[in-house]
Amino acid sequence: MRLPLFGIGTYQLEDINVLRAVIRAVLPLGVRLIDTAQWYVNEGLIAEVLAEELPKHSLTREDLVIVSKVHPRNHGYEKALSSSLESISHFGYLDMMLVHWPGMHGSEGHDMRAVRAGTWRALEELLAAGKVRGIGVSNYTVEHLKELQEYSTTGAPSVLQSEFHPRCHQRDVREYCAAQGIQFMGYTPLGRRDLLGKDVVVEVAGKHGITPGQVLLKWSMQKEAVTIPRSSSAERNVENTASWTDGVQLDKEDMEKLDQLDDEHHYTWNPNLL
């Protein structure tokens, strides 16, 4: 399956009132993709809010696309299977289940290739059983992706989710994904405060009459990356969603200027160092 181009992230959104305000703000704007994870400890809260909010907008579970991820501590066939079934129980089914990281805490002494293969086998079984509509990975390098295809019985993963913004282009993995038909999904598209304040970002924002954050989100989407900004503010989520709906396009010059910010900087963990 293919994911929509735009959605919301929910990392660190562990308060049901915050989640309610965020989801209530974006559903009327057409947002249907919600990204969560076992690590975020909010799958059940999201499901609770959706049960309240979907009927108010004449929507059903089938109208949504929900992505979750296997916690690194649940790597390996048995833990991946049982924990994924628990994640699925909140939503009835999942549209996409990802392996969150290629590594895990306490990996010393473990054959991580075998561990990753077991995790993937669990997801393949869930796919075959119709409990998930698609399976993929997160934070995998090209080497990890090549390794996966050696033991996968279902071909390439449907999705790779990885950090993506103008300071971190991930060219090698995106080129590999394009060649293999893997949909690329970018997280942390807004980077951090320093990226929002870069002169070129502010300049492009002024040129188009939009915010620096909207510039960064448009850059990501115009690179054809599924883009999932995260904010605890309902108002900021409305602003973020406008980057997807307002019809403003960055031109070639804008994109090239933003591209020059690339210095392979990771605001989150760098999977190449794991």
Side-chain angles (χ1 to χ4, degrees):
M1 66 165 295
R2 303 288 289 180
L3 301 177
L5 186 61
F6 182 86
I8 59 167
T10 62
Y11 177 54
Q12 294 183 328
L13 303 187
E14 300 172 15
D15 183 301
I16 192 166
N17 294 315
V18 171
L19 281 165
R20 183 179 291 111
V22 167
I23 291 172
R24 186 176 287 167
V26 300
L27 285 180
L29 303 177
V31 173
R32 298 293 180 263
L33 170 62
I34 299 175
D35 179 81
T36 182
Q38 295 171 359
W39 197 330
Y40 305 168
V41 199
N42 61 12
E43 293 167 315
L45 296 177
I46 291 170
E48 186 175 339
V49 171
L50 290 175
E52 298 170 2
E53 295 298 319
L54 290 179
K56 298 177 184 178
H57 301 280
S58 300
L59 296 171
T60 66
R61 166 67 183 90
E62 288 69 28
D63 294 309
L64 298 182
V65 177
I66 299 176
V67 178
S68 193
K69 312 174 199 76
V70 177
H71 196 296
R73 72 183 176 206
N74 293 325
H75 253 307
Y77 173 77
E78 292 183 358
K79 287 184 177 180
L81 184 62
S82 61
S83 67
S84 295
L85 286 170
E86 182 176 353
S87 296
I88 291 163
S89 71
H90 297 298
F91 303 104
Y93 65 93
L94 283 167
D95 297 276
M96 191 69 64
M97 192 68 178
L98 310 180
V99 182
H100 205 152
W101 282 89
M104 67 179 185
H105 299 297
S107 61
E108 298 81 4
H110 291 271
D111 178 352
M112 284 309 300
R113 184 186 190 281
V115 172
R116 284 190 289 269
T119 302
W120 188 249
R121 179 162 62 90
L123 297 194
E124 288 184 312
E125 288 187 8
L126 293 170
L127 180 67
K131 296 184 180 297
V132 297
R133 297 179 61 201
I135 56 177
V137 293
S138 180
N139 300 300
Y140 271 42
T141 64
V142 171
E143 289 70 26
H144 292 129
L145 291 168
K146 289 180 177 177
E147 173 198 275
L148 182 150
Q149 297 208 63
E150 293 174 1
Y151 52 69
S152 174
T153 63
T154 51
S158 296
V159 167
L160 167 68
Q161 184 180 126
S162 198
E163 183 174 349
F164 186 58
H165 46 74
R167 290 192 64 190
C168 185
H169 286 202
Q170 303 275 18
R171 285 188 175 88
D172 58 342
V173 292
R174 288 196 298 122
E175 288 173 1
Y176 186 85
C177 286
Q180 298 294 318
I182 302 168
Q183 191 173 21
F184 183 82
M185 185 178 194
Y187 68 80
T188 317
L190 297 170
R192 296 290 185 267
R193 192 175 299 277
D194 72 295
L195 182 55
L196 288 163
K198 291 285 187 185
D199 288 345
V200 64
V201 177
V202 174
E203 174 192 332
V204 173
K207 173 181 172 181
H208 292 283
I210 58 179
T211 68
Q214 289 171 333
V215 167
L216 296 175
L217 298 177
K218 288 177 184 296
W219 178 88
S220 175
M221 287 184 283
Q222 287 182 219
K223 295 284 188 181
E224 300 184 345
V226 176
T227 302
I228 47 169
R230 167 259 176 219
S231 175
S232 60
S233 162
E235 293 76 16
R236 184 58 56 82
N237 275 281
V238 171
E239 176 187 308
N240 290 342
T241 303
S243 68
W244 173 52
T245 60
D246 64 11
V248 175
Q249 290 281 308
L250 305 185
D251 59 35
K252 181 179 179 182
E253 180 183 9
D254 300 329
M255 296 294 286
E256 290 175 349
K257 285 181 177 179
L258 293 165
D259 284 349
Q260 292 173 15
L261 293 173
D262 186 26
D263 58 1
E264 300 182 6
H265 179 78
H266 287 260
Y267 291 104
T268 62
W269 294 334
N270 183 348
N272 291 292
L273 303 180
L274 293 180

